[in-house]
Amino acid sequence: MKKPSLLVPFYEHPAERPDAWDAVIEAAPSLYGVVLNPANGAGRTPDPAFAAVAERLRAAGTRVLGYVDTAYGRRPHGEVVAELLRHRDWYGADGAFLDQVPTASEALEHFRRIGVAARAAGARTLVLNHGAHPDPGFAALADLLVTFEGPWDSYRALDLPVADHYCHLVYAAPREALPTTRVHCAVPGAGAHPWGTLPHALEPAG
């Protein structure tokens, strides 16, 4: 059985949570990757604090995945690609985390084009966050599909399919919570901003 691995979406500014970012970087060699989200995406101008964190993450040997909201396929192709390029040029992102990806087969061609552009822009790892189980055709487009995102109380009541290319992101999770996919993340945070907290194992003491 392959070793479990954490994909960490941590949406806090390094200036406000330097101790937490230090904990992420310390754990970086054992992580699947870290989602970098300076301003609900790359932002309009480079953020030196995030650039420094991204450099430390790369030096520690983990993937840096640039966050891009695709608005369930409504966002134009050119806008998505431009943001991927900003993540690459400003933060050295070597992968992409595409959020709010639809599950229906009608969206396959749109995301196939985005995937080709992302690879051409240097994304060695591509993660699609559907938040629910998608059409099987998406498996050919990305390295990892997020097939669940939601609270622990909902998650533990479900019997979800498991595969090496699936990832479950769970929030409002107790310390003992363990998602069933090899790549996963479970955090204690809840409400409108759950990904402002780290997995229990990475939270710094104090």
Side-chain angles (χ1 to χ4, degrees), residues 80-121:
V80 172
V81 174
E83 188 152 25
L84 289 170
L85 292 172
R86 291 198 295 274
H87 274 296
R88 182 196 68 184
D89 295 344
W90 296 347
Y91 306 113
D94 53 9
F97 181 92
L98 303 185
D99 197 17
Q100 300 202 99
V101 177
T103 58
S105 61
E106 289 80 5
L108 280 168
E109 184 55 35
H110 179 67
F111 282 90
R112 184 177 291 111
R113 291 180 61 233
I114 289 174
V116 168
R119 302 292 192 190

Coordinates of all heavy atoms in Angstrom, one line a residue, residues 80-121:
V80 N -7.9 32.1 -17.6 CA -7.4 31.0 -16.7 C -5.9 30.8 -17.1 O -5.0 30.7 -16.2 CB -8.2 29.7 -17.0 CG1 -7.5 28.5 -16.3 CG2 -9.6 29.8 -16.5
V81 N -5.6 30.8 -18.3 CA -4.2 30.6 -18.8 C -3.3 31.7 -18.3 O -2.2 31.6 -17.8 CB -4.1 30.4 -20.3 CG1 -2.6 30.3 -20.7 CG2 -4.8 29.1 -20.7
A82 N -3.8 33.0 -18.4 CA -3.0 34.1 -18.0 C -2.7 34.0 -16.5 O -1.6 34.4 -16.1 CB -3.8 35.4 -18.3
E83 N -3.7 33.6 -15.7 CA -3.4 33.4 -14.3 C -2.4 32.3 -14.0 O -1.5 32.5 -13.1 CB -4.7 33.2 -13.5 CG -4.5 33.2 -12.0 CD -5.8 33.6 -11.3 OE1 -6.9 33.5 -11.8 OE2 -5.6 34.2 -10.2
L84 N -2.5 31.2 -14.7 CA -1.5 30.2 -14.6 C -0.1 30.7 -14.9 O 0.9 30.4 -14.2 CB -1.8 29.0 -15.5 CG -3.0 28.2 -15.2 CD1 -3.3 27.2 -16.4 CD2 -2.8 27.4 -13.9
L85 N 0.0 31.6 -15.9 CA 1.3 32.1 -16.2 C 1.8 33.1 -15.1 O 3.0 33.1 -14.9 CB 1.3 32.9 -17.6 CG 1.0 32.0 -18.8 CD1 0.8 32.8 -20.0 CD2 2.2 31.0 -19.0
R86 N 0.9 33.8 -14.5 CA 1.3 34.7 -13.4 C 1.9 33.9 -12.2 O 2.9 34.2 -11.6 CB 0.2 35.6 -12.9 CG -0.2 36.7 -14.0 CD -1.0 37.8 -13.3 NE -2.3 37.3 -12.9 CZ -3.4 37.3 -13.6 NH1 -3.4 37.6 -14.9 NH2 -4.6 36.9 -13.1
H87 N 1.2 32.8 -11.9 CA 1.7 31.9 -10.9 C 3.1 31.4 -11.2 O 4.0 31.3 -10.3 CB 0.7 30.7 -10.7 CG -0.4 30.9 -9.8 ND1 -0.2 31.2 -8.4 CD2 -1.8 30.9 -10.0 CE1 -1.4 31.3 -7.8 NE2 -2.3 31.2 -8.8
R88 N 3.3 31.0 -12.4 CA 4.6 30.5 -12.8 C 5.7 31.6 -12.8 O 6.8 31.4 -12.2 CB 4.5 30.0 -14.3 CG 5.8 29.4 -14.8 CD 5.8 29.2 -16.3 NE 5.8 30.5 -17.0 CZ 5.7 30.7 -18.3 NH1 5.6 29.6 -19.1 NH2 5.7 31.9 -18.8
D89 N 5.4 32.8 -13.3 CA 6.4 33.8 -13.4 C 6.7 34.5 -12.1 O 7.8 34.9 -11.9 CB 5.9 34.8 -14.5 CG 5.8 34.3 -15.9 OD1 6.4 33.2 -16.1 OD2 5.2 34.9 -16.7
W90 N 5.6 34.7 -11.3 CA 5.8 35.4 -10.0 C 6.2 34.5 -8.9 O 7.0 34.9 -8.0 CB 4.5 36.1 -9.6 CG 4.1 37.2 -10.6 CD1 4.9 37.7 -11.6 CD2 2.8 37.8 -10.7 NE1 4.1 38.7 -12.3 CE2 2.9 38.8 -11.7 CE3 1.7 37.7 -9.9 CZ2 1.8 39.6 -12.0 CZ3 0.6 38.5 -10.2 CH2 0.7 39.5 -11.3
Y91 N 5.7 33.3 -8.9 CA 6.0 32.4 -7.7 C 6.7 31.1 -8.0 O 6.9 30.2 -7.2 CB 4.6 32.1 -7.0 CG 3.8 33.4 -6.7 CD1 2.7 33.7 -7.3 CD2 4.4 34.3 -5.8 CE1 2.0 34.8 -7.1 CE2 3.7 35.4 -5.5 CZ 2.5 35.7 -6.1 OH 1.8 36.9 -5.8
G92 N 7.0 30.9 -9.3 CA 7.7 29.7 -9.7 C 6.9 28.4 -9.5 O 7.4 27.3 -9.3
A93 N 5.6 28.6 -9.6 CA 4.7 27.4 -9.4 C 5.0 26.4 -10.5 O 5.1 26.7 -11.7 CB 3.2 27.8 -9.5
D94 N 5.2 25.1 -10.1 CA 5.4 24.0 -11.0 C 4.2 23.1 -11.2 O 4.3 22.0 -11.7 CB 6.7 23.2 -10.6 CG 6.5 22.7 -9.1 OD1 5.5 22.8 -8.5 OD2 7.5 22.2 -8.6
G95 N 3.1 23.6 -10.7 CA 1.8 22.8 -10.9 C 0.7 23.8 -10.8 O 0.8 25.0 -10.5
A96 N -0.5 23.2 -10.9 CA -1.7 24.1 -10.9 C -2.8 23.3 -10.2 O -3.0 22.1 -10.3 CB -2.2 24.4 -12.3
F97 N -3.6 24.1 -9.4 CA -4.8 23.6 -8.7 C -6.0 24.4 -9.2 O -6.1 25.6 -8.9 CB -4.6 23.8 -7.2 CG -5.7 23.3 -6.3 CD1 -5.7 22.1 -5.8 CD2 -6.8 24.1 -6.0 CE1 -6.8 21.6 -5.0 CE2 -7.9 23.7 -5.2 CZ -7.8 22.4 -4.7
L98 N -6.8 23.8 -10.1 CA -7.9 24.4 -10.7 C -9.1 24.1 -9.8 O -9.5 23.0 -9.6 CB -8.1 23.9 -12.1 CG -7.0 24.1 -13.0 CD1 -7.3 23.7 -14.4 CD2 -6.4 25.5 -13.0
D99 N -9.7 25.2 -9.3 CA -10.8 25.1 -8.3 C -12.2 25.3 -9.1 O -12.2 25.9 -10.2 CB -10.7 26.1 -7.2 CG -11.6 25.8 -6.0 OD1 -12.0 24.6 -5.9 OD2 -11.8 26.7 -5.2
Q100 N -13.2 24.8 -8.4 CA -14.6 24.9 -9.0 C -14.7 24.4 -10.4 O -15.1 25.1 -11.3 CB -15.1 26.4 -8.8 CG -15.1 26.8 -7.4 CD -16.1 28.0 -7.2 OE1 -17.2 27.8 -6.7 NE2 -15.6 29.2 -7.5
V101 N -14.3 23.2 -10.5 CA -14.4 22.5 -11.8 C -15.7 21.7 -11.9 O -16.0 21.0 -10.9 CB -13.1 21.5 -12.0 CG1 -13.2 20.8 -13.3 CG2 -11.8 22.3 -12.0
P102 N -16.4 21.8 -12.9 CA -17.7 21.0 -13.0 C -17.4 19.5 -13.1 O -16.3 19.1 -13.4 CB -18.4 21.6 -14.3 CG -17.3 22.2 -15.1 CD -16.2 22.6 -14.1
T103 N -18.5 18.8 -12.9 CA -18.4 17.3 -13.0 C -18.9 16.7 -14.3 O -18.6 15.6 -14.5 CB -19.2 16.7 -11.8 OG1 -20.6 17.1 -11.9 CG2 -18.6 17.2 -10.4
A104 N -19.7 17.5 -15.0 CA -20.4 16.9 -16.2 C -19.5 16.8 -17.4 O -18.5 17.6 -17.6 CB -21.6 17.8 -16.6
S105 N -19.8 15.8 -18.3 CA -19.0 15.6 -19.4 C -18.9 16.7 -20.4 O -18.0 16.9 -21.2 CB -19.5 14.3 -20.1 OG -20.8 14.5 -20.6
E106 N -20.0 17.6 -20.4 CA -20.0 18.7 -21.3 C -18.8 19.7 -21.1 O -18.5 20.4 -22.0 CB -21.3 19.5 -21.1 CG -22.6 18.8 -21.6 CD -23.1 17.8 -20.6 OE1 -22.5 17.6 -19.5 OE2 -24.0 17.1 -21.0
A107 N -18.2 19.6 -20.0 CA -17.1 20.5 -19.7 C -15.7 19.9 -20.1 O -14.7 20.6 -20.0 CB -17.1 20.9 -18.2
L108 N -15.7 18.7 -20.5 CA -14.4 18.0 -20.8 C -13.6 18.8 -21.8 O -12.4 18.9 -21.6 CB -14.7 16.6 -21.3 CG -15.0 15.6 -20.2 CD1 -15.5 14.3 -20.8 CD2 -13.8 15.3 -19.3
E109 N -14.1 19.2 -22.9 CA -13.3 19.8 -23.9 C -12.7 21.1 -23.4 O -11.5 21.4 -23.7 CB -14.1 20.1 -25.2 CG -13.3 20.6 -26.4 CD -12.1 19.8 -26.7 OE1 -12.2 18.5 -26.6 OE2 -11.1 20.4 -27.1
H110 N -13.5 21.9 -22.7 CA -13.0 23.2 -22.2 C -11.8 22.9 -21.3 O -10.7 23.6 -21.4 CB -14.1 23.9 -21.4 CG -13.7 25.2 -20.7 ND1 -13.3 26.3 -21.4 CD2 -13.6 25.5 -19.4 CE1 -13.0 27.3 -20.6 NE2 -13.1 26.8 -19.4
F111 N -11.9 21.9 -20.4 CA -10.8 21.6 -19.5 C -9.6 20.8 -20.1 O -8.5 20.9 -19.6 CB -11.3 21.0 -18.2 CG -12.0 22.0 -17.3 CD1 -13.3 22.2 -17.4 CD2 -11.2 22.7 -16.4 CE1 -13.9 23.2 -16.6 CE2 -11.8 23.6 -15.5 CZ -13.2 23.9 -15.6
R112 N -9.9 20.2 -21.2 CA -8.8 19.5 -21.9 C -7.9 20.6 -22.5 O -6.7 20.5 -22.5 CB -9.4 18.7 -23.1 CG -8.3 17.9 -23.8 CD -8.9 17.0 -24.9 NE -9.6 15.8 -24.2 CZ -11.0 15.7 -24.2 NH1 -11.7 16.6 -24.9 NH2 -11.5 14.6 -23.7
R113 N -8.5 21.7 -23.1 CA -7.7 22.8 -23.6 C -7.0 23.5 -22.5 O -5.8 23.8 -22.7 CB -8.7 23.8 -24.3 CG -9.3 23.3 -25.6 CD -10.2 24.3 -26.3 NE -9.4 25.5 -26.6 CZ -9.8 26.7 -26.2 NH1 -10.8 27.0 -25.5 NH2 -9.0 27.8 -26.6
I114 N -7.6 23.7 -21.4 CA -6.9 24.3 -20.3 C -5.7 23.4 -19.8 O -4.6 23.9 -19.5 CB -7.9 24.6 -19.1 CG1 -8.8 25.7 -19.5 CG2 -7.1 24.9 -17.8 CD1 -9.9 26.0 -18.5
G115 N -6.0 22.1 -19.7 CA -4.9 21.2 -19.3 C -3.7 21.3 -20.2 O -2.6 21.3 -19.8
V116 N -4.0 21.3 -21.5 CA -2.9 21.4 -22.5 C -2.1 22.7 -22.3 O -0.8 22.7 -22.3 CB -3.4 21.3 -24.0 CG1 -2.3 21.6 -25.0 CG2 -4.0 19.9 -24.2
A117 N -2.8 23.8 -22.1 CA -2.1 25.1 -21.9 C -1.3 25.1 -20.6 O -0.2 25.6 -20.5 CB -3.1 26.2 -21.9
A118 N -1.9 24.5 -19.6 CA -1.2 24.4 -18.3 C 0.1 23.6 -18.4 O 1.1 24.0 -17.9 CB -2.1 23.8 -17.2
R119 N 0.1 22.5 -19.1 CA 1.3 21.7 -19.3 C 2.3 22.5 -20.1 O 3.5 22.5 -19.8 CB 1.0 20.4 -20.0 CG -0.1 19.5 -19.3 CD 0.4 18.9 -18.0 NE -0.5 17.8 -17.6 CZ -0.4 17.2 -16.4 NH1 0.5 17.6 -15.5 NH2 -1.3 16.3 -16.1
A120 N 1.8 23.2 -21.1 CA 2.8 24.0 -21.9 C 3.4 25.1 -21.1 O 4.5 25.5 -21.4 CB 2.0 24.5 -23.2
A121 N 2.6 25.6 -20.1 CA 3.2 26.7 -19.3 C 4.1 26.1 -18.1 O 4.5 26.9 -17.3 CB 2.0 27.4 -18.6

